[in-house]
Amino acid sequence: MDIHRCRFVPHPASAINTLAFSHTTSNPSIKAPSTLRLAVGRANGDIEIWDPKNGLWVQESILKGGKDRSIEGLAWTHDLEDEGSDGTRLPTKLRLFSIGYSTVVTEWDLATGKALHHSSGNYGEIWCMAAQPRWQNHKDPAQASKEGPRADQLLAIGCEDGSIILHSTADSDLKYERTLPRPSGKKGRALSIAFQNRQKLVAGFSDSTIRIFDVQGRTQIINMSLGAGPKKGPQEILVWSVKCLRDGTIISGDSTGEVKFWDSKTYALVQRIASHSADVFDLAPSWDGLSLFSGGMDRKTVLYKRRTEGKKKVRWAEITHARLHSTDVKAMASFEASLDTSLIILPQGRLGQELSRALPALPNRPPLGCAPSQRMFLVWWNREVCIWLLDPSSEPAARVDDLEQSPAHRLMVKIIVQKEENITSASMSRNGDLVAISTISCVKLFSLKPRSSFQGLRAHKVELSKPLTGHGARAVEFSPDSRWLLVVTLDSSITVHRIQEDGSTKSGIAMSPSVTKLRRNTAKEVHSKSSDGTHGAYLRSVSRVAWSSDSRLVAVCDLSGNFDSWMLEGLEDLAQENEGEIADDASSSDESEADSDEETKPRVILGQHWKHIKIRLPKLPSAPLILSFRPASTPPPSAKMNGNLGIHPTRHNPHPQSHDVPDGEDRLLVVTSQHQLLEYSVMTGQLTDWSRRNPSFCLPLEFRNTRDRVMGCVWDVSENRQRLWLYGSTWLWMFNIAQDMGADPQEGDIINGDADNTSRKKRKRGEMEAERRQLMSNTSGAGSKVPAHRRTDGFGAGMSIIDNDSDARAWRSFDPDRRHGSRDMDVDDDAESSSGESASPDLVRMRRAAGVGASSQSKELVTTNGINAAADKAGKDALSSPSYWRTYKYRPILGMVPIGGGSSSELVEVADARESSKNVEVALIERPEWDLDLAPRWEGNQEWSR
């Protein structure tokens, strides 16, 4: 494979301003709820939703922002539990709210990505927001009196004029409730806010004060002064952050760089620690209140521990600090983030025993498209779409093992959406003639024509069909033959639109007025615990779409792992009229209505109609990250014009229909968030023979333990090779799917085609893999365990016990977090069985030895690809190549797309079958941190940039 390293794409960086977990408190001895999510607010108005389950940290979706928008605060609430008609408790609904440099509080619909409610008033700009703790049903009367009456959570916002506004979230709405008294005298801006309990609210101001309010009585309880500012500095201290521990202790971080601790009853200052050289922006206490993290302008992340001295005297001490970010640490939520666009995960209870971990700053779903036959690729961000051309006269910039400069490139066209909303998706046809762009408010279609000067392209707007006009979408995707446009609406409905040539229009393209709505299967949401809450229809949001290479099969998968697939029946007949403007496919969304499906007449578009495939694929154990059909090694035959001429109308059947069923490649590759590699036959609903012989535990252990999730794939399929290239933000893997993944699946790893491996090397590798597995297992969800010889901070892995009466010395294991219990982040044990991949090593050996193993790989190549010439040679060549290959030299990767050469699935035509022996060319887009335009950072004494 020839790789062009492209670093000229100016994909902008967006700073992280705020973080919020959907469940604010979680006992470490209790398993984290399955509905736990992390919301990340960025400066461009986007809100990212992350799933931290099993320590995988998967970016599920992005709620797109818009022009001049920024997310400055996030908060989650839980509605009160209700009882169903049968007396069972219904799960509470999780709701997400945001603020951002305005007077508006916004509630978001996670399922559609749109704003659900807005609330604004005649008050100043909102600077901070906090949610009231959930109401708890305590049996103890004393505790019940503190909780107050049963009620939904309130939202408290702090404004620029110093006012504290309370909003009600009752009845699934967002309404103004009341205003707490404003401070008298000089007005101070409310910079931070937190609830001490359901009855008391703590707010930090810009006038060197912290004020305590009674929520129910609407009165101010006390005014806590921080004193005057430092010498030769501002006289007023800015309280950037306030937090409250479970015992009521108040902690504040301010512009002097000090962290202050206040008594929960007397509100007196108990202790202050000057741990930062500049402003402290945020604080993150642990659940048990025994540890605390702080972050600020000096880029330091500081850990504090609580200890008891003497007669229950509590003191806090700074344990350690580190500079993990390149700019200000602005937001923390048990984990932390910074203005340098990256999330850093730290183990609170195991700092010094586990490594920190940086999550990719780039989107998990690459914002890319391509037209391989034209050597063009598309990149979008915010409200802008850019299309580049790689010079076909230039040689490939680098092979996989080379490091060369990128080839010549040209910006062909730039499209800016004249709307306020950011782009949710963009797609480019394989021939480079069409571009589709979607936002939450509209869908746009453009035709690309060369300019007269041949120096670029000109975009012509194409008129959309009436059902598509004025409606937004979450995703758009062209079919490989560029005749169909699939649109995923905001509510995850699927529609397909036919595109035709029309010489009467300026663009030369017209969209058929007939629209087919593809119905989806119904799925019931399973709740483990009602108090954990539910995200409603969010998990049914379509996250991945895939077209087959012949454009006659399409499959989608949602966040819950449920599949839907459809096939295109019939042959194209341009002489046949379309039926209606909006049509459903010929099947129902529920199995109970299967009998009526046969009576439903499909709506035909140019002699073809879409039909739901009733055979369901097994539900995935986790969300899909890749959905891609395996391409055919030879290009699909061109569809014949008016292919239905053999079907003649009769008196009894004036509109005959063809029911030609797709007979091309139907194998669908799926990679889940747990890095399971599965391949299904869409028409049969079963795992393919290759996938049955190669379950996930046969994949390399190094790949399965890779923490950065997979982002995309590129196929390299031809007569003599079948390769799958997977890539993440920091890695690139190749799998040879023409052969099995290992000689012995019980080894848990594959042998890389090296026949000279001795038993000594195998034992050494086995010991290294065992050590690596031990370091990566039973972790908190941050990084791997620190090897014992590298542990310098905190407690070690063991302690030495010396007997005074003898010289004997014994080592005893010691885990300081064992008293809190452990919540390990290992992958679920039943993940394989739920996906249909229930196979033991012995069963895999039997399958491989039963005629579908390594000895029959050449036969499989011939059967699958339909190639009769040189079959034995092709099989031998495929089997002699390595099973896998990987590299980590490209980082951080924004995406990778094919741009020519070889016979990748992205190529729609190959003139000669012999051309398939060439290497596939790809454009690998990198976005190094040093190329990002970041905000200037604070430099302290004797601190300089490298």
Side-chain angles (χ1 to χ4, degrees):
M1 185 167 70
D2 296 327
I3 296 181
H4 298 272
R5 302 184 70 172
C6 305
R7 292 182 176 177
F8 52 82
V9 177
H11 190 279
S14 183
I16 297 175
N17 289 337
T18 181
L19 301 172
F21 277 95
S22 58
H23 298 71
T24 55
T25 58
S26 180
N27 191 331
S29 62
I30 302 176
K31 185 177 180 180
S34 60
T35 55
L36 177 65
R37 295 296 186 273
L38 171 66
V40 180
R42 293 189 178 268
N44 63 351
D46 291 352
I47 301 177
E48 301 174 358
I49 306 299
W50 290 75
D51 182 5
K53 184 180 179 181
N54 298 325
L56 300 180
W57 293 96
V58 178
Q59 186 188 91
E60 289 186 333
S61 62
I62 300 178
L63 311 180
K64 290 296 184 177
K67 181 181 179 182
D68 299 329
R69 299 181 189 176
S70 178
I71 303 298
E72 299 297 325
L74 291 168
W76 295 80
T77 64
H78 297 241
D79 288 345
L80 292 174
E81 294 186 20
D82 293 327
E83 291 187 358
S85 57
D86 55 352
T88 59
R89 288 189 175 183
L90 301 178
T92 61
K93 182 180 178 181
L94 292 169
R95 302 167 64 184
L96 177 63
F97 302 86
S98 71
I99 57 173
Y101 287 145
S102 66
T103 61
V104 180
V105 181
T106 303
E107 180 182 0
W108 294 89
D109 187 347
L110 299 182
T112 63
K114 296 181 63 177
L116 189 62
H117 295 111
H118 293 288
S119 179
S120 61
N122 188 20
Y123 39 76
E125 190 177 90
I126 301 174
W127 276 71
C128 55
M129 177 175 62
Q132 187 183 32
R134 297 175 60 185
W135 182 84
Q136 302 290 337
N137 186 14
H138 291 286
K139 296 181 179 180
D140 185 6
Q143 294 291 337
S145 62
K146 295 181 180 180
E147 290 291 323
R150 186 177 187 269
D152 287 280
Q153 292 176 266
L154 296 175
L155 274 182
I157 59 174
C159 304
E160 186 177 16
D161 59 2
S163 59
I164 305 295
I165 312 297
L166 300 180
H167 286 76
S168 172
T169 62
D171 302 325
S172 299
D173 202 351
L174 179 62
K175 296 181 180 179
Y176 168 82
E177 180 75 12
R178 55 184 176 270
T179 302
L180 297 181
R182 297 183 182 181
S184 58
K186 183 172 59 175
K187 295 182 179 179
R189 182 184 297 118
L191 300 177
S192 55
I193 196 168
F195 280 88
Q196 190 178 23
N197 50 51
R198 284 184 59 87
Q199 307 299 329
K200 295 180 181 180
L201 183 144
V202 183
F205 289 78
S206 61
D207 58 354
S208 305
T209 57
I210 299 175
R211 296 179 173 88
I212 313 296
F213 296 92
D214 184 355
V215 176
Q216 295 296 330
R218 306 185 187 183
T219 58
Q220 178 177 324
I221 299 177
I222 193 171
N223 187 14
M224 302 151 55
S225 176
L226 276 70
K231 296 181 179 179
K232 297 182 181 180
Q235 294 299 315
E236 295 181 347
I237 299 176
L238 308 179
V239 184
W240 291 115
S241 178
V242 290
K243 300 291 181 181
C244 298
L245 303 182
R246 298 181 62 193
D247 60 359
T249 300
I250 301 172
I251 309 174
S252 65
D254 52 52
S255 58
T256 63
E258 293 184 346
V259 176
K260 299 180 174 65
F261 301 87
W262 307 79
D263 187 84
S264 60
K265 297 180 179 179
T266 63
Y267 303 111
L269 180 62
V270 176
Q271 186 182 359
R272 66 174 70 192
I273 301 177
S275 52
H276 290 267
S277 304
D279 299 45
V280 178
F281 283 148
D282 207 357
L283 304 167
S286 64
W287 173 83
D288 54 9
L290 299 179
S291 62
L292 171 73
F293 279 100
S294 67
M297 186 184 293
D298 58 357
R299 311 189 312 277
K300 289 171 59 176
T301 301
V302 184
L303 170 65
Y304 312 86
K305 288 289 187 179
R306 180 179 178 178
R307 54 193 177 90
T308 303
E309 296 179 352
K311 299 179 180 179
K312 297 184 179 180
K313 184 179 180 181
V314 176
R315 302 293 294 176
W316 289 83
E318 177 182 344
I319 302 300
T320 184
H321 72 269
R323 281 188 171 89
L324 304 174
H325 300 280
S326 58
T327 54
D328 307 354
V329 182
K330 187 176 182 180
M332 309 178 76
S334 294
F335 301 94
E336 58 180 327
S338 77
L339 286 173
D340 63 358
T341 75
S342 298
L343 285 168
I344 302 293
I345 311 300
L346 283 177
Q348 267 194 334
R350 303 179 182 179
L351 189 65
Q353 300 181 33
E354 291 182 8
L355 300 172
S356 61
R357 175 183 172 189
L359 298 182
L362 300 175
N364 180 261
R365 188 173 183 178
L368 302 175
C370 67
S373 59
Q374 304 297 323
R375 299 181 64 86
M376 294 191 302
F377 66 90
L378 169 149
V379 184
W380 79 85
W381 60 84
N382 295 341
R383 297 177 298 112
E384 187 174 327
V385 175
C386 293
I387 299 177
W388 276 275
L389 170 70
L390 295 184
D391 190 357
S393 62
S394 63
E395 293 295 328
R399 289 185 180 271
V400 176
D401 53 354
D402 295 334
L403 288 175
E404 301 290 343
Q405 297 294 327
S406 61
H409 61 274
R410 283 187 295 165
L411 179 63
M412 302 300 291
V413 66
K414 179 186 293 186
I415 303 174
I416 299 178
V417 179
Q418 301 298 324
K419 294 285 186 178
E420 292 187 356
E421 294 81 8
N422 289 346
I423 296 173
T424 58
S425 177
S427 179
M428 190 177 188
S429 62
R430 304 296 170 85
N431 55 14
D433 292 339
L434 297 172
V435 171
I437 303 173
S438 66
T439 68
I440 61 174
S441 62
C442 67
V443 175
K444 294 182 179 294
L445 183 63
F446 297 92
S447 174
L448 302 180
K449 301 292 183 181
R451 293 179 181 269
S452 57
S453 59
F454 300 101
Q455 296 298 320
L457 298 174
R458 185 184 299 275
H460 299 276
K461 190 174 181 180
V462 179
E463 185 177 354
L464 301 176
S465 58
K466 185 177 179 180
L468 197 57
T469 304
H471 297 280
R474 64 190 311 134
V476 288
E477 189 73 28
F478 283 107
S479 62
D481 60 6
S482 305
R483 297 178 181 177
W484 297 91
L485 175 64
L486 183 142
V487 178
V488 182
T489 62
L490 298 178
D491 60 354
S492 291
S493 299
I494 312 296
T495 59
V496 286
H497 307 259
R498 185 64 164 85
I499 299 174
Q500 301 172 262
E501 295 182 359
D502 188 352
S504 62
T505 61
K506 184 178 180 180
S507 61
I509 298 295
M511 182 174 286
S512 173
S514 298
V515 179
T516 302
K517 182 177 180 180
L518 305 181
R519 298 186 182 180
R520 299 177 58 196
N521 293 317
T522 57
K524 295 182 179 180
E525 186 178 0
V526 180
H527 307 285
S528 58
K529 191 177 180 181
S530 60
S531 60
D532 290 345
T534 176
H535 295 288
Y538 170 67
L539 293 180
R540 289 287 289 162
S541 302
V542 173
S543 61
R544 295 296 184 271
V545 177
W547 284 91
S548 62
S549 57
D550 61 357
S551 302
R552 300 195 64 181
L553 291 174
V554 64
V556 301
C557 192
D558 56 30
L559 293 175
S560 63
N562 288 295
F563 287 96
D564 287 280
S565 55
W566 301 267
M567 62 180 176
L568 183 62
E569 283 192 352
L571 298 175
E572 185 181 43
D573 186 358
L574 299 179
Q576 187 168 353
E577 297 181 358
N578 300 331
E579 300 182 10
E581 290 189 357
I582 302 179
D584 292 339
D585 58 353
S587 61
S588 174
S589 59
D590 200 329
E591 292 180 351
S592 62
E593 301 179 7
D595 297 337
S596 63
D597 290 348
E598 300 179 356
E599 302 176 359
T600 304
K601 181 181 178 181
R603 298 298 180 92
V604 179
I605 301 177
L606 300 180
Q608 297 176 306
H609 62 274
W610 287 94
K611 183 178 181 180
H612 196 281
I613 300 177
K614 297 181 180 180
I615 301 176
R616 293 193 184 187
L617 298 178
K619 182 182 177 182
L620 298 176
S622 57
L625 298 182
I626 289 181
L627 208 64
S628 178
F629 279 93
R630 184 190 289 210
S633 60
T634 57
S638 300
K640 297 180 180 180
M641 292 296 182
N642 300 335
N644 291 335
L645 293 181
I647 302 177
H648 304 284
T650 64
R651 181 177 60 181
H652 300 287
N653 187 14
H655 301 288
Q657 299 174 8
S658 171
H659 295 279
D660 179 73
V661 177
D663 57 357
E665 185 63 75
D666 72 330
R667 288 179 289 182
L668 179 66
L669 176 87
V670 183
V671 182
T672 68
S673 61
Q674 298 176 356
H675 276 190
Q676 289 180 285
L677 188 61
L678 308 169
E679 190 179 51
Y680 297 100
S681 173
V682 174
M683 302 300 291
T684 63
Q686 298 178 350
L687 288 171
T688 62
D689 290 339
W690 180 88
S691 190
R692 295 175 65 195
R693 294 193 310 269
N694 298 273
S696 297
F697 62 78
C698 290
L699 297 176
L701 183 64
E702 182 180 354
F703 172 76
R704 285 181 284 146
N705 289 338
T706 300
R707 294 194 179 275
D708 290 338
R709 299 294 92 186
V710 64
M711 296 172 58
C713 72
V714 172
W715 289 94
D716 183 9
V717 175
S718 63
E719 294 180 1
N720 56 359
R721 63 175 177 265
Q722 294 189 30
R723 297 174 180 173
L724 172 67
W725 293 82
L726 301 177
Y727 65 90
S729 61
T730 58
W731 51 264
L732 179 63
W733 278 78
M734 183 277 294
F735 294 100
N736 187 356
I737 57 176
Q739 58 178 286
D740 293 331
M741 285 290 102
D744 187 359
Q746 195 171 11
E747 294 180 4
D749 201 354
I750 66 176
I751 298 176
N752 194 18
D754 188 359
D756 297 331
N757 281 334
T758 62
S759 58
R760 180 180 58 84
K761 292 182 178 180
K762 290 182 179 180
R763 287 195 301 269
K764 183 177 180 181
R765 191 183 68 172
E767 294 174 358
M768 294 176 59
E769 294 295 348
E771 181 181 0
R772 181 186 301 174
R773 184 180 303 179
Q774 182 181 7
L775 293 177
M776 299 189 69
S777 63
N778 298 330
T779 60
S780 63
S784 302
K785 296 177 182 177
V786 179
H789 64 277
R790 291 180 53 191
R791 294 186 181 180
T792 57
D793 297 332
F795 293 101
M799 59 182 178
S800 176
I801 300 179
I802 302 175
D803 190 355
N804 295 329
D805 299 332
S806 63
D807 295 334
R809 176 178 296 186
W811 285 91
R812 182 174 299 174
S813 62
F814 177 72
D815 186 358
D817 297 311
R818 189 164 304 213
R819 65 181 183 275
H820 301 303
S822 63
R823 183 173 60 210
D824 301 328
M825 294 297 207
D826 291 336
V827 178
D828 296 337
D829 296 333
D830 58 346
E832 294 181 354
S833 60
S834 61
S835 60
E837 202 187 24
S838 55
S840 62
D842 294 334
L843 182 58
V844 171
R845 287 195 206 92
M846 294 176 60
R847 288 174 177 173
R848 294 181 180 181
V852 291
S855 61
S856 64
Q857 293 301 315
S858 59
K859 297 180 181 180
E860 185 180 17
L861 285 172
V862 177
T863 304
T864 304
N865 301 329
I867 302 171
N868 296 321
D872 294 336
K873 182 179 183 300
K876 292 179 181 178
D877 292 342
L879 292 174
S880 61
S881 60
S883 300
Y884 72 93
W885 182 89
R886 79 281 194 197
T887 182
Y888 299 93
K889 66 172 60 174
Y890 308 107
R891 61 175 63 192
I893 300 175
L894 178 65
M896 186 173 70
V897 292
I899 57 170
S903 61
S904 167
S905 65
E906 307 295 339
L907 301 179
V908 293
E909 291 184 0
V910 177
D912 189 351
R914 289 174 296 182
E915 294 290 331
S916 62
S917 61
K918 295 182 179 179
N919 290 328
V920 173
E921 290 184 51
V922 298
L924 190 147
I925 296 91
E926 295 176 287
R927 200 69 179 108
E929 184 179 354
W930 57 81
D931 283 346
L932 300 179
D933 185 15
L934 301 177
R937 69 184 188 185
W938 182 87
E939 298 287 356
N941 296 331
Q942 299 183 353
E943 293 181 6
W944 305 281
S945 301
R946 294 181 179 178

